[in-house]
Amino acid sequence: MLINLFFLTLLLFSSLYSTSQFNGIGNIIIALLIIGFVCIPVLYQKKDAKVHLASLVIFFLLLLSGVISTFVNLDVGLLINFSVLFLLYLVSTAGMSSFGVDANDLVYKATLITHIPLIFVPLLVDGINRTPYYGIFYNPNSFGSVVATLFGFVLAVFLYKAEQKFTDNEIDSSIKWEFLFLILLAFLVVISGSRTSALTLLAMVAIGFYLIFVMLIKFNKLKPFLKMILSTLLLGGLVLLIIRLTPFYDYLMENIIGKFIVKSTRGDVLDMRGLVWQQTIREARLFGNGGNYFVTETVAASHSTYFSVLGEYGWIPFLLFMMLMLYMLYKSYKFAKNNVVYKYKYLPLLVSSSFLILSFAEAMMFKLSMIAMFLLFGNILNGNAKKGKDASFLSSGIKKIKLPKYRIVLRK
């Protein structure tokens, strides 16, 4: 029960962090929740935890580089951010492994339970009251990135059910509702006007079809493959028809395609980001310029997780951070490729992809896609996810450690 509450609260505030009401304290609440979870295994007197050595080494080096950046720039905020990131890693790996639960299932359900009301209640109450639309969030890009991440969650389960249809001729009747939900989420991304989120949606769909293609080829399912191609063409034609004959087309032209055209004619497709990124690369040092670099030295914020790390922490932490991201993406891909029958086999990869793509043009640190990615990644490493036939690779590199047994006595 306590773990469920932790997941619900952490994932909820990872998006409330992007609202006007919680923007100032959201990061503090997230940090306190992560620190608080470290105490849960102690309260439950858990003794076993799994540690993945390769990822632990990368994280330790990343934390060490953050310590050096802190001393170089005399900015303790840099150390706090990387320390919370390291604790999130420990929570998702050693912490969750001590309970032996499948975090994929928990993260999926907790995300839907917390974010469906967060997105749709304001929409039902106020309607589409502005263009671009952003609900309770403080700007359209924040709203679009949350919806795009939720799209990845739903798409992961939809793709699994579609794969089962093509390979075993079995279909879950709920797949049609998930398909309609995906269209609705895509519509919300379009009316948000977030170009980064729209491109993220397209990328996740492309990744999903590639994964199904690989799975069908792997099991020599040529007939289902042809059926998939035909279904894709029919489905694509249906979607294009829906877009053209509904207001969706007008929203798409005005909020997404129109923005690309207007900004490209002005020679600034990246909307000031390009200038900031070029300056960041020119002025980047080995251990950064401090947490206020994008406040005092540039004409705008970084609007990018990667350039934020590069400008504030420097080249060494940036390279270690990118090494970690690529390692997480690789493990997620292997998990999707090697798990045969598992509902959430595509979830880690699609959520990781959403974070990595959104991070190119949005600051995503400690937001929904990042928090979820870490929790799912830890679940892969410690082997708590239900495994398919070919998932024995999950246990490689894992060491089991003993936690000291604690006894807590409450006194009046």
Side-chain angles (χ1 to χ4, degrees):
M1 181 62 183
L2 195 56
I3 297 178
N4 294 340
L5 182 62
F6 166 77
F7 271 79
L8 288 167
T9 309
L10 180 62
L11 291 168
L12 175 62
F13 276 97
S14 68
S15 290
L16 287 177
Y17 177 31
S18 299
T19 64
S20 300
Q21 293 84 353
F22 291 94
N23 181 242
I25 61 172
N27 56 341
I28 299 175
I29 295 174
I30 291 172
L32 292 175
L33 286 169
I34 293 172
I35 294 171
F37 185 84
V38 176
C39 302
I40 294 180
V42 177
L43 292 174
Y44 279 90
Q45 299 187 14
K46 297 293 182 179
K47 295 187 291 182
D48 292 336
K50 297 173 184 175
V51 175
H52 190 269
L53 295 181
S55 61
L56 182 62
V57 169
I58 297 174
F59 255 105
F60 178 77
L61 292 175
L62 182 63
L63 182 60
L64 180 61
S65 69
V67 172
I68 298 174
S69 294
T70 298
F71 283 105
V72 169
N73 296 286
L74 300 177
D75 187 350
V76 71
L78 298 177
L79 179 58
I80 292 175
N81 287 337
F82 269 18
S83 296
V84 174
L85 194 66
F86 183 66
L87 287 177
L88 177 60
Y89 163 76
L90 292 179
V91 164
S92 64
T93 53
M96 291 306 302
S97 70
S98 64
F99 290 93
V101 297
D102 184 0
N104 289 348
D105 185 60
L106 286 176
V107 171
Y108 179 81
K109 292 177 180 177
T111 300
L112 264 59
I113 290 171
T114 54
H115 283 75
I116 288 178
L118 201 64
I119 293 170
F120 289 100
V121 169
L123 190 63
L124 293 174
V125 172
D126 300 323
I128 302 176
N129 54 1
R130 58 174 73 93
T131 303
Y133 178 78
Y134 51 92
I136 66 171
F137 296 85
Y138 57 67
N139 63 42
N141 288 333
S142 298
F143 175 75
S145 64
V146 170
V147 176
T149 303
L150 188 61
F151 182 94
F153 275 84
V154 180
L155 179 64
V157 176
F158 173 82
L159 288 173
Y160 169 75
K161 292 180 180 180
E163 177 190 289
Q164 295 305 300
K165 165 62 179 175
F166 290 126
T167 55
D168 299 328
N169 293 318
E170 297 178 2
I171 188 167
D172 191 325
S173 59
S174 65
I175 192 173
K176 60 180 180 292
W177 299 110
E178 287 159 347
F179 175 67
L180 293 175
F181 193 32
L182 289 172
I183 293 178
L184 177 58
L185 292 173
F187 173 72
L188 292 179
V189 168
V190 168
I191 65 174
S192 76
S194 174
R195 294 173 295 162
T196 306
S197 301
L199 292 175
T200 301
L201 255 64
L202 293 176
M204 286 192 291
V205 171
I207 291 170
F209 276 108
Y210 166 76
L211 290 171
I212 292 183
F213 167 76
V214 170
M215 189 61 66
L216 293 177
I217 294 299
K218 178 179 179 180
F219 291 98
N220 197 27
K221 298 285 187 176
L222 296 180
K223 185 177 179 181
F225 172 68
L226 295 176
K227 289 171 60 178
M228 187 190 79
I229 296 297
L230 179 61
S231 300
T232 302
L233 293 174
L234 293 175
L235 187 61
L238 177 62
V239 170
L240 291 175
L241 182 63
I242 293 173
I243 290 175
R244 190 64 185 90
L245 299 179
T246 62
F248 190 96
Y249 176 77
D250 297 325
Y251 281 114
L252 180 63
M253 291 301 298
E254 178 183 353
N255 295 316
I256 303 297
I257 298 177
K259 287 177 68 176
F260 272 113
I261 295 174
V262 170
K263 292 183 182 297
S264 63
T265 55
R266 294 175 181 172
D268 188 18
V269 177
L270 295 174
D271 199 16
M272 294 289 293
R273 290 177 175 87
L275 295 175
V276 175
W277 295 349
Q278 290 175 17
Q279 180 182 347
T280 302
I281 294 174
R282 286 197 310 267
E283 299 178 356
R285 301 187 298 174
L286 285 180
F287 292 99
N289 296 289
N292 291 323
Y293 174 70
F294 293 102
V295 178
T296 61
E297 302 298 327
T298 60
V299 296
S302 65
H303 291 289
S304 168
T305 306
Y306 308 124
F307 284 97
S308 177
V309 173
L310 176 60
E312 295 174 1
Y313 289 88
W315 282 107
I316 301 300
F318 169 75
L319 293 174
L320 289 169
F321 181 79
M322 292 306 300
M323 183 187 302
L324 176 65
M325 295 300 104
L326 293 175
Y327 183 74
M328 295 172 80
L329 185 66
Y330 168 74
K331 281 291 185 180
S332 298
Y333 173 73
K334 292 288 288 184
F335 181 77
K337 185 179 177 182
N338 290 302
N339 260 281
V340 179
V341 182
Y342 178 49
K343 181 179 179 180
Y344 304 116
K345 59 187 291 186
Y346 297 130
L347 185 59
L349 179 60
L350 290 178
V351 173
S352 298
S353 300
S354 71
F355 169 76
L356 295 174
I357 298 170
L358 288 169
S359 288
F360 276 106
E362 298 295 337
M364 301 302 298
M365 290 289 282
F366 298 110
K367 295 181 181 178
L368 174 62
S369 58
M370 183 180 193
I371 298 288
M373 178 182 69
F374 269 74
L375 294 174
L376 297 172
F377 173 67
N379 202 51
I380 291 175
L381 291 184
N382 62 41
N384 283 343
K386 296 176 182 178
K387 302 174 185 178
K389 297 176 183 177
D390 300 324
S392 58
F393 77 97
L394 289 172
S395 59
S396 60
I398 293 177
K399 302 295 182 183
K400 183 175 287 190
I401 62 174
K402 290 286 185 178
L403 296 176
K405 185 173 181 179
Y406 293 87
R407 183 181 180 188
I408 299 175
V409 179
L410 299 178
R411 298 180 184 274
K412 292 186 178 180

